[in-house]
Amino acid sequence: MPPNFNDLSPPERIDVVEAPKDNVVTQEIVPSNVGIKAVRSFATLLTHILIGIIVGVSLFFSLRNGTPLGATPQHVILCVIGYQFLMAEAILTLAPDSWVASLSLKHRRWVHTGLQIIGSILAIVGSFIKMADKEVNFNTLHGKFGLAAVVFTSVSLVNGCASLYAYELRKCIPGILSKLTHICFGTVAFVMASVCLCYGIDKGSFRNALSTRFADSLIIMTGTLTTIVIINPLLTFYVKFSGAIKN
Ligand code: HEM
């Protein structure tokens, strides 16, 4: 498979360090810009903490009354695990210094694809469970953003395949086009899901189950998580777009 993904991270410098006592030669990897790497690694750590809190609290909210689960708890569990856990992690796999940074680009793309497919299916099923449970649909901002997230997720899932096989499909669709639209649709889907979640957290049931202050903090955490997660796709989009314009 052709290497059709731009890795924005600078190449590593490998220094050979002589061990004086036993004459064994070891290799030490010295990053070329330690500061940027430290900031990126810290952002990755912060992201995982935020994902843990947001998903954990949503699971607590959904499971607090025990089983059997009604339509709303099922809906919340599937949507939050789909969007804020699996889809966020899927986007992060392609960022430098992510949790799969030690894998090759080809394998990171497979991890990304797998997480995106599972996350999208869970999120779409979770959304449809609640749509089917309602008599009047899309009459709230929460529902409207949820619908937008479902639409963009579905499109992103389809053209993600085109992006994965961009080289093979280059005669039907220019590779750069499938990649740019995939980044665009995927990022919009994730942002729509986050806005939708904020309106979900803002609902009376959620605020009553936790506290108003904690719900507000969770909304701020969702905004912070979303911002960190979309930084790399936006940078990649900029690099690819400006490259396409120059060529
Ligand atoms: C990423 C997270 C979420 C997504 C993508 C999402 C998406 C959706 C969708 C698509 C609908 C159907 C709208 C309609 O047919 O009119 C809906 C309805 C609903 N959701 Fe969520 N939801 C999420 C999180 C939550 C959370 C955390 C709660 C917690 C209370 C919640 C509670 C509800 C309720 C009560 C409804 C029915 C009332 C309404 O439409 O506003 N959802 N959601």
Side-chain angles (χ1 to χ4, degrees):
M1 186 172 297
N4 52 8
F5 169 75
N6 273 359
D7 193 350
L8 299 173
S9 58
E12 306 282 3
R13 194 180 81 226
I14 298 177
D15 287 353
V16 176
V17 180
E18 296 264 355
K21 280 185 184 164
D22 49 5
N23 284 337
V24 176
V25 177
T26 56
Q27 280 193 332
E28 189 186 344
I29 296 177
V30 181
S32 42
N33 39 11
V34 183
I36 293 179
K37 273 192 163 282
V39 171
R40 286 198 306 226
S41 299
F42 178 74
T44 305
L45 173 70
L46 180 64
T47 315
H48 288 126
I49 293 173
L50 291 173
I51 290 175
I53 296 174
I54 294 164
V55 177
V57 172
S58 302
L59 291 183
F60 165 77
F61 166 78
S62 308
L63 299 170
R64 72 193 189 289
N65 293 329
T67 50
L69 295 177
T72 302
Q74 289 177 21
H75 155 72
V76 175
I77 291 173
L78 291 174
C79 285
V80 173
I81 290 183
Y83 284 122
Q84 275 71 33
F85 176 40
L86 296 174
M87 202 176 277
E89 292 291 0
I91 297 172
L92 288 172
T93 54
L94 298 180
D97 300 307
S98 75
W99 56 280
V100 284
S102 59
L103 299 184
S104 69
L105 180 59
K106 181 184 161 189
H107 292 132
R108 273 191 284 156
R109 290 171 68 208
W110 280 114
V111 176
H112 168 83
T113 308
L115 290 175
Q116 280 288 17
I117 292 173
I118 300 169
S120 303
I121 291 173
L122 292 186
I124 291 171
V125 170
S127 299
F128 273 99
I129 285 176
K130 196 63 208 175
M131 286 179 204
D133 185 51
K134 286 184 69 181
E135 282 176 11
V136 182
N137 292 105
F138 317 122
N139 54 344
T140 62
L141 278 172
H142 174 78
K144 285 174 183 150
F145 278 105
L147 175 67
V150 166
V151 171
F152 279 98
T153 301
S154 309
V155 178
S156 168
L157 205 55
V158 174
N159 87 339
C161 298
S163 182
L164 191 64
Y165 291 99
Y167 184 76
E168 289 81 353
L169 296 172
R170 66 191 183 283
K171 282 186 185 150
C172 316
I173 173 170
I176 189 70
L177 191 65
S178 59
K179 280 178 212 162
L180 285 176
T181 50
H182 177 58
I183 297 173
C184 202
F185 289 133
T187 308
V188 173
F190 187 69
V191 172
M192 292 292 127
S194 296
V195 176
C196 178
L197 175 63
C198 291
Y199 280 111
I201 296 169
D202 194 39
K203 284 183 184 294
S205 56
F206 209 103
R207 287 191 178 273
N208 291 340
L210 305 162
S211 71
T212 291
R213 276 199 180 171
F214 192 66
D216 288 339
S217 313
L218 214 57
I219 290 174
I220 293 171
M221 287 184 213
T222 306
T224 310
L225 170 70
T226 311
T227 309
I228 300 176
V229 168
I230 65 169
I231 287 176
N232 192 59
L234 292 182
L235 285 177
T236 308
F237 184 90
Y238 172 75
V239 169
K240 284 186 186 295
F241 186 69
S242 45
I245 287 179
K246 277 178 203 155
N247 291 333

